[in-house]
Amino acid sequence: MEPADVTRINRALNKLAKLYRAAKAHRLAELGLHPGQDVLLWVLAQERDGMTVSALAARLGVEQPTVTRSLSRMDKAGLFRREPVPADRRQVLIVLTAHGRALIGEIEQIWTDLAEATTGSLPPQEVARMVAAMERAGDGLRQVMGDSAAAVLAEG
């Protein structure tokens, strides 16, 4: 690969990543959320009866302390409640409250708006190629990073 191409690729990826994260942070702030908290809430919403912290961590691909810290930061917002697990008093279920569940549609709308803003000027075939290329590029970066890739991806 030519040095000019390397520079152009790096510049484009850095700009896109920064802009997307900033746009997402800006929109999520309107809901009182930070990047990463949207994904955590969305995953919780998929399980009506709640999830244990360990199950949530596994689904997100992070360690339990990471989920515990995130939940602690979100605790005062009333987005979820903790319920004891009857069969195991050491564990608790994290269950979305009505308030937390009400945010899911707004989170999904933010995701839709950002996807459309990012790809809206492209024809559908080009969007499909772009997504496929980004997925392949992500696969290559996961190979480079090994086990540490999951923690990076869970950051939001």
Side-chain angles (χ1 to χ4, degrees), residues 52-121:
T52 63
V53 173
S54 59
L56 185 54
R59 187 84 54 90
L60 292 169
V62 299
E63 299 293 323
Q64 282 183 256
T66 303
V67 171
T68 301
R69 280 190 302 275
S70 293
L71 292 171
S72 293
R73 287 186 208 113
M74 298 167 61
D75 207 9
K76 291 182 176 132
L79 302 172
F80 63 90
R81 66 182 180 278
R82 291 177 171 88
E83 296 181 359
V85 174
D88 186 349
R89 294 189 188 275
R90 296 170 296 162
Q91 294 196 47
V92 294
L93 284 174
I94 307 301
V95 182
L96 282 186
T97 61
H99 176 54
R101 195 161 293 285
L103 291 181
I104 300 305
E106 294 179 68
I107 288 168
E108 290 173 337
Q109 186 60 55
I110 288 169
W111 293 350
T112 299
D113 293 348
L114 292 174
E116 289 173 353
T118 304
T119 64
S121 64

